[in-house]
Amino acid sequence: MRINVKGLELYYKVSGQGAPIVLLHGNSQDHTIFRVLIKKLSKSFTVYAIDSRDHGKSGKVHFLDYMSKMEDVAEFIRVLEVHKPIVYGFSDGGIIGLLLAIHHPDLLSKLIISGANINPDGVKRFFYYLMKIGYFFTHSNKLKLMLTQPDIPEEDLFTITTPTLVLAGRHDVIKESHTKLIASSISGSVLKILPGESHTSYVLHNEKLYGIIKSFIEG
């Protein structure tokens, strides 16, 4: 399905019935990374899986920034009148989720993020330099986004009142200390560092994520 959001066309898939949950994918991906998760969640929830701007089947842009991507999702929720959805965001989607909770706290009921960072310093140096090399050869606007953004002040996290679950793999591309900083800055948040998991291993086409999400929602 497609929806026009402030002149930009966003593609999304909706399935299931029940309380609404919005799924936000990572950089250079699209909603299809959640196929397994959607199948499981749609038995109990109405699932909205969005392709973010310049990704998947959504409209293309010449410049990417997280604030615009966040406002896309906020407007999506308003236009479709999705009442108080749970939001799960992976990687870039997690950054968008944090920004939503900071700037539009009235829109969400719960927030789940995994592998998110609040600035580029949160990325482990090895992976950061790999991205720099990739950008040198490709000049990809998606790589540029991760090299230069986000820029979320730590004090902004203190304002989040949405019940939040913070996830990361033990072998994530995000520094564990950075993930713990995010969790400790959000009052009442739940932190889970998953042993044996990487940035993507428990997210992409994996049933394990469903159990973690469902447990948090029900809890």
Side-chain angles (χ1 to χ4, degrees):
M1 302 179 73
R2 299 177 189 276
I3 186 173
N4 191 285
V5 174
K6 295 182 178 179
L8 179 74
E9 190 174 74
L10 291 183
Y11 179 87
Y12 69 100
K13 178 178 180 179
V14 60
S15 54
Q17 289 186 329
I21 180 166
V22 174
L23 305 181
L24 305 173
H25 61 78
N27 193 293
S28 300
Q29 299 166 342
D30 61 32
H31 75 279
T32 60
I33 68 165
F34 297 127
R35 279 184 184 136
V36 173
L37 183 61
I38 291 169
K39 185 176 180 180
K40 300 285 285 186
L41 284 174
S42 61
K43 295 177 182 178
S44 306
F45 301 90
T46 302
V47 184
Y48 297 86
I50 306 171
D51 284 354
S52 66
R53 58 169 53 203
D54 211 39
H55 289 71
K57 297 178 182 178
S58 286
K60 306 306 177 186
V61 296
H62 296 296
F63 174 77
L64 284 172
D65 69 283
Y66 287 113
M67 286 297 291
S68 295
K69 293 175 76 172
M70 179 272 292
E71 292 295 351
D72 290 344
V73 178
E75 190 67 9
F76 175 93
I77 292 170
R78 291 193 191 99
V79 171
L80 289 183
E81 298 182 344
V82 182
H83 181 66
K84 289 282 187 177
I86 301 154
V87 170
Y88 166 64
F90 165 62
S91 198
D92 273 25
I95 295 167
I96 294 167
L98 288 172
L99 290 170
L100 278 169
I102 291 166
H103 296 281
H104 300 285
D106 57 310
L107 291 181
L108 314 183
S109 62
K110 291 186 178 182
L111 174 64
I112 304 159
I113 63 170
S114 62
N117 56 305
I118 60 172
N119 55 55
D121 287 340
V123 180
K124 291 176 180 175
R125 292 296 90 187
F126 173 76
F127 295 102
Y128 183 82
Y129 288 126
L130 280 182
M131 289 192 294
K132 286 191 75 170
I133 293 169
Y135 180 71
F136 176 82
F137 287 106
T138 66
H139 296 287
S140 163
N141 61 347
K142 296 178 178 67
L143 285 174
K144 184 178 181 179
L145 176 67
M146 294 189 290
L147 289 169
T148 59
Q149 297 182 44
D151 183 19
I152 303 174
E154 185 182 338
E155 53 267 28
D156 282 6
L157 298 178
F158 301 153
T159 69
I160 294 177
T161 57
T162 305
T164 302
L165 171 63
V166 179
L167 300 171
R170 180 71 70 189
H171 309 295
D172 213 295
V173 302
I174 305 299
K175 298 172 184 175
E176 188 168 315
S177 59
H178 192 81
T179 301
K180 290 179 176 178
L181 171 67
I182 292 172
S184 65
S185 300
I186 301 173
S187 178
S189 70
V190 177
L191 170 66
K192 288 186 180 294
I193 303 292
L194 305 174
E197 303 291 350
S198 68
H199 188 60
T200 61
S201 61
Y202 63 101
V203 178
L204 273 61
H205 315 296
N206 197 318
E207 289 191 1
K208 182 178 291 187
L209 185 58
Y210 168 74
I212 297 168
I213 289 176
K214 194 165 187 291
S215 176
F216 174 72
I217 292 171
E218 292 178 345

